[in-house]
Amino acid sequence: MTVTLKDVAVACGLSPGTVSRALNHHPSVHQDTVDYVTAMARSMGYYPNRAGKALSARKKPVSIGVLLPSVNGPFFDDVKSGMHKALREYEDLGLTLVCDEVEGWKETDHLQALKRLIKAGCNAFCLCTQPRPAILALLEELKHTCTYIACVNHNLPELKPLFFVGVDFYKSGFLAANLAHLCLRDKPLNVIIVIGLKSLKGHMERVRGFTEGLRYFGRQAHLISLIEGEDNEILTQTLTMEALKAHPEASCLYVATGSAVSGACRAVIALSGRRPYFIATDEIPSTRDYFKEGIIDASICQDPFLQGYYAIKKLYNCVTSGDLVEKGDLIVDPSIRLKAHYL
Amino acid sequence: MTVTLKDVAVACGLSPGTVSRALNHHPSVHQDTVDYVTAMARSMGYYPNRAGKALSARKKPVSIGVLLPSVNGPFFDDVKSGMHKALREYEDLGLTLVCDEVEGWKETDHLQALKRLIKAGCNAFCLCTQPRPAILALLEELKHTCTYIACVNHNLPELKPLFFVGVDFYKSGFLAANLAHLCLRDKPLNVIIVIGLKSLKGHMERVRGFTEGLRYFGRQAHLISLIEGEDNEILTQTLTMEALKAHPEASCLYVATGSAVSGACRAVIALSGRRPYFIATDEIPSTRDYFKEGIIDASICQDPFLQGYYAIKKLYNCVTSGDLVEKGDLIVDPSIRLKAHYL
DNA sequence: TTGAAAGCGCTACCAC
DNA sequence: GTGGTAGCGCTTTCAA
């Protein structure tokens, strides 16, 4: 039989109530008691029972505040679905989600959303945002009252969050290089790279991973151009078309940003000549269509569903178990998807 | 506030005990009561609280019997790890695992293991076995007393289990074909396929998916030979070597069975000539080494960890929630892994 | 600062 | 066939 709170209480010669308070950092417990109880609990191998906890805490649920740049961004729909799956699994254990969704990455928007979440009285936070000064400052302040702050999809290393769940962007680019190397083993590797915003760290990390990857695999690649589409479909299409037209020797098109994929696809379609190998990034509904049409050859994906799912679950576990476990980051492997996945 | 058992009891004018029994298929309840309570519960949107259930049922835990052909089979180590992760997550909610591990696929071994599990008094089963007559017969009998029988990794369609968690072997082969098509776009596709046992359905399904996939992608492929290594490393190596030696025109080696990978790798190493594209299946420790050495170019994997994890979780949810949800099969997508995944 | 007791949702046991 | 009651592990009042 597992050891319960009562067992610890008996062993300590204290009441269950006191032990509970000691273990949950309640202010009104003598420090000596806290130390004694903590040591005893650890030595007895005590681990709180989530069922009991959830049941008794039914009036004070775990409410996690979520900030996502998901408005009009289909990529984050999958993150949201994963979060809602976690919610379904844990709602009868007292989990609540407060989702604040924002369009794009504008600092002021994110700042306001964050303030709304704090005002809503969340006791944990799961964020996808950018490391802008004002945001970091607000979060640093928040950290004094709430230690349960996690990052999903995009990390904030400067903040040192409780944990980060997401993909290694560098590795994602490296994998793209590996694939390009395989597919063009005996052919020249003349590459056009398309991204969204150079100011977003993740995007540039992919580019770095890609170029270093090609070097690792011993390829003399020629980077024709690095196109910045500014998350604008028309602009992306135009620039990509120009590059493709000016460089018929291009053998590989690597689109390192999910939001730039459809623009690049339109460019390829418009130029109905011989097509370069097309390696995309991420997977949104339109990606699937371009796959079926044979425009995209492969896409380097990152399972946004699982990211949302794991982030919420880990956070819930941290809050309920007094973060004994579940700390470290969770870096999910990038995965390759081909047309066959959509048949 | 969510609706509780007590609410339903009040609405029905019955005691909570009776409602509980009615909802849990206890024998000693009048059928009219069962119908009435069930209808009322449904109309009120009642959904049992797992915390309460787990707490009260602490002496009668959910014990899931697991049968895996995992002895000396590193592939199933990952399945096991996933199952143990699920166990850790749910053990304080009353989950217990009884694992019976077997070496290989011999009918008598599996039969005995199954009998041991039944004798152990498990109230749910998670099985990875083959559709042999005696096994199916025993399971059909078991079905009368226990409806919670699920299959993991290998399905038993004849049994109609509660659900199946695993990969679509056909799709796995199809994906391999997609990759071969991409990597050898402008080159002849002369293929040698290596498998373990022709008698294992999953293995042949991969071969079928591969050949039909090539046809789908419009490739005139030439199948040089289909080698059956009989899960024997030496034999696999020998036969593969002979085939490679006799056919220098071979441009692609597809090993459609995890257990045949290392034998095929040794064959390629022994013949230090120009290497064909090497597409492997699954991922075990030795696979990683051959990747690093540059023998294997790609592997079509199936995330055994997640399979074990999901299978146990689904089964637990079915048992505790009276299988309201969580029924349907869970078919995980095959994934492509390259060298970059291991750096 | 600590103890005692009630109650979260559910099931099992014992009466009836 | 059904009702009452106790108790699972934990937190949280209210008293002391």
Side-chain angles (χ1 to χ4, degrees):
Chain A
M1 206 51 180
T2 50
V3 35
T4 73
L5 188 83
K6 213 159 100 184
D7 298 332
V8 179
V10 171
C12 292
L14 290 166
S15 77
T18 305
V19 172
S20 169
R21 283 182 295 248
L23 257 26
N24 290 285
H25 313 104
H26 267 257
S28 68
V29 197
H30 197 90
Q31 186 58 45
D32 293 352
T33 318
V34 174
D35 297 341
Y36 181 52
V37 169
T38 309
M40 180 65 83
R42 201 181 300 274
S43 78
M44 294 178 72
Y46 169 73
Y47 196 83
N49 180 302
R50 289 189 356 272
K53 261 187 131 98
L55 208 47
S56 76
R58 241 180 149 325
K59 283 166 183 181
K60 195 182 76 56
V62 178
S63 106
I64 298 180
V66 177
L67 167 57
L68 286 180
S70 49
V71 176
N72 292 328
F75 173 81
F76 286 100
D77 285 347
D78 288 338
V79 179
K80 264 194 308 189
S81 306
M83 290 182 163
H84 279 98
K85 170 158 187 198
L87 174 61
R88 281 197 302 280
E89 268 182 37
Y90 282 141
E91 62 185 347
D92 58 354
L93 298 181
L95 174 62
T96 303
L97 248 43
V98 182
C99 288
D100 206 314
E101 304 185 39
V102 157
E103 175 160 8
W105 300 91
K106 264 182 68 186
E107 180 169 5
T108 49
D109 294 342
H110 283 226
L111 209 54
Q112 281 174 11
L114 213 45
K115 284 177 181 163
R116 284 193 294 268
L117 287 176
I118 295 171
K119 196 173 284 174
C122 300
N123 38 36
F125 297 86
C126 184
L127 312 171
C128 180
T129 185
Q130 282 293 116
R132 302 281 170 253
I135 292 172
L136 286 175
L138 179 57
L139 288 175
E140 280 297 346
E141 201 189 310
L142 177 60
K143 254 185 145 179
H144 296 313
T145 56
C146 170
T147 53
Y148 300 110
I149 306 177
C151 293
V152 63
N153 197 260
H154 279 66
N155 200 3
L156 297 175
E158 307 87 343
L159 181 72
K160 292 207 172 75
L162 189 59
F163 61 78
F164 164 63
V165 176
V167 80
D168 180 337
F169 290 106
Y170 178 86
K171 200 169 176 181
S172 169
F174 205 100
L175 184 61
N178 195 159
L179 187 64
H181 164 60
L182 270 187
C183 291
L184 296 161
R185 191 177 272 186
D186 307 312
K187 297 189 190 144
L189 212 41
N190 302 313
V191 187
I192 296 173
I193 303 182
V194 184
I195 63 166
L197 294 162
K198 285 186 183 170
S199 59
L200 281 184
K201 218 177 76 185
H203 298 183
M204 288 310 287
E205 277 294 285
R206 285 215 186 88
V207 175
R208 199 168 66 84
F210 186 76
T211 51
E212 293 189 10
L214 288 180
R215 205 171 311 133
Y216 173 87
F217 290 107
R219 300 301 295 255
Q220 316 252 107
H222 171 53
L223 176 55
I224 294 172
S225 74
L226 174 59
I227 295 170
E228 184 180 17
E230 297 176 18
D231 278 357
N232 177 324
E233 184 159 338
I234 308 290
L235 182 63
T236 307
Q237 177 181 352
T238 312
L239 294 176
T240 309
M241 272 179 65
E242 285 171 5
L244 284 171
K245 217 180 287 178
H247 298 276
E249 79 278 17
S251 60
C252 177
L253 182 64
Y254 173 43
V255 184
T257 308
S259 58
V261 170
S262 62
C265 285
R266 286 159 163 277
V268 171
I269 291 170
L271 259 68
S272 52
R274 194 201 181 296
R275 286 171 181 166
Y277 265 98
F278 193 128
I279 301 179
T281 294
D282 290 343
E283 179 194 359
I284 55 176
S286 61
T287 311
R288 285 160 217 173
D289 297 333
Y290 291 121
F291 253 120
K292 287 184 190 158
E293 290 177 40
I295 310 298
I296 300 177
D297 292 301
S299 187
I300 312 294
C301 300
Q302 53 166 319
D303 209 331
F305 181 90
L306 229 49
Q307 288 178 32
Y309 176 69
Y310 279 137
I312 296 299
K313 273 186 41 168
K314 269 174 86 85
L315 206 42
Y316 173 86
N317 288 337
C318 285
V319 173
T320 53
S321 67
D323 48 2
L324 297 175
V325 271
E326 296 277 352
K327 291 204 178 186
D329 293 350
L330 182 68
I331 311 297
V332 304
D333 266 333
S335 70
I336 301 169
R337 294 186 73 83
L338 306 183
K339 186 175 184 181
H341 282 110
Y342 303 97
L343 298 175
Chain B
M1 208 50 181
T2 49
V3 35
T4 71
L5 187 85
K6 213 158 104 184
D7 298 332
V8 179
V10 172
C12 292
L14 289 168
S15 78
T18 305
V19 173
S20 170
R21 281 182 297 249
L23 257 26
N24 290 283
H25 312 105
H26 267 257
S28 66
V29 195
H30 198 88
Q31 186 58 45
D32 293 351
T33 318
V34 173
D35 296 342
Y36 181 53
V37 169
T38 309
M40 180 64 82
R42 202 182 301 272
S43 79
M44 295 177 73
Y46 168 73
Y47 194 84
N49 179 302
R50 290 191 351 276
K53 259 187 132 95
L55 210 46
S56 79
R58 241 182 151 320
K59 282 163 181 183
K60 196 182 77 56
V62 178
S63 105
I64 299 181
V66 177
L67 167 57
L68 287 179
S70 49
V71 176
N72 293 328
F75 172 82
F76 286 100
D77 285 347
D78 288 338
V79 179
K80 263 193 310 188
S81 306
M83 291 182 162
H84 280 98
K85 173 163 184 192
L87 173 62
R88 281 196 302 279
E89 266 182 39
Y90 282 142
E91 61 185 348
D92 58 354
L93 298 181
L95 174 63
T96 304
L97 249 43
V98 182
C99 288
D100 206 312
E101 304 185 38
V102 157
E103 175 160 7
W105 300 91
K106 262 180 71 186
E107 181 170 5
T108 50
D109 295 342
H110 283 225
L111 209 56
Q112 281 174 12
L114 212 47
K115 284 179 182 164
R116 283 193 294 267
L117 288 176
I118 296 172
K119 195 172 287 174
C122 299
N123 38 36
F125 298 85
C126 185
L127 311 172
C128 180
T129 185
Q130 284 293 116
R132 301 282 169 251
I135 293 173
L136 286 174
L138 180 56
L139 288 175
E140 280 298 346
E141 200 189 311
L142 177 60
K143 253 185 146 178
H144 295 312
T145 56
C146 170
T147 53
Y148 301 110
I149 306 178
C151 292
V152 63
N153 196 260
H154 280 65
N155 199 2
L156 298 175
E158 306 87 343
L159 181 70
K160 292 206 171 75
L162 188 58
F163 61 77
F164 164 63
V165 176
V167 80
D168 180 337
F169 290 106
Y170 178 86
K171 201 169 176 181
S172 169
F174 205 101
L175 184 60
N178 194 159
L179 187 64
H181 164 61
L182 270 186
C183 290
L184 296 161
R185 192 177 273 188
D186 308 311
K187 297 191 189 139
L189 212 41
N190 303 314
V191 187
I192 295 172
I193 302 181
V194 184
I195 63 165
L197 294 162
K198 286 185 182 170
S199 59
L200 281 183
K201 216 176 78 184
H203 298 183
M204 289 310 288
E205 276 295 285
R206 286 214 186 89
V207 174
R208 199 168 66 86
F210 186 76
T211 51
E212 292 189 11
L214 288 179
R215 204 171 311 135
Y216 173 87
F217 289 107
R219 298 302 295 255
Q220 315 252 106
H222 172 53
L223 175 55
I224 295 172
S225 72
L226 173 59
I227 294 169
E228 184 181 16
E230 297 177 17
D231 278 358
N232 176 325
E233 185 160 338
I234 307 291
L235 181 64
T236 307
Q237 177 180 352
T238 311
L239 294 176
T240 310
M241 271 179 67
E242 285 171 6
L244 285 170
K245 218 181 283 178
H247 297 277
E249 80 277 16
S251 61
C252 177
L253 182 64
Y254 173 43
V255 183
T257 309
S259 57
V261 170
S262 63
C265 285
R266 286 160 163 276
V268 171
I269 292 171
L271 258 68
S272 51
R274 198 202 177 295
R275 287 172 182 166
Y277 264 96
F278 192 127
I279 301 178
T281 294
D282 291 343
E283 180 195 358
I284 54 176
S286 61
T287 311
R288 285 160 216 172
D289 296 333
Y290 291 122
F291 254 121
K292 286 186 190 156
E293 290 177 38
I295 310 297
I296 299 177
D297 291 301
S299 188
I300 313 295
C301 300
Q302 54 165 318
D303 209 332
F305 181 90
L306 229 50
Q307 288 179 31
Y309 176 68
Y310 279 137
I312 295 299
K313 271 186 45 169
K314 270 176 86 85
L315 206 41
Y316 173 86
N317 288 336
C318 285
V319 174
T320 54
S321 67
D323 47 1
L324 297 174
V325 273
E326 296 276 353
K327 290 204 180 188
D329 293 349
L330 182 68
I331 310 298
V332 304
D333 265 334
S335 71
I336 300 170
R337 295 186 72 83
L338 306 183
K339 186 175 183 180
H341 281 112
Y342 303 97
L343 298 175

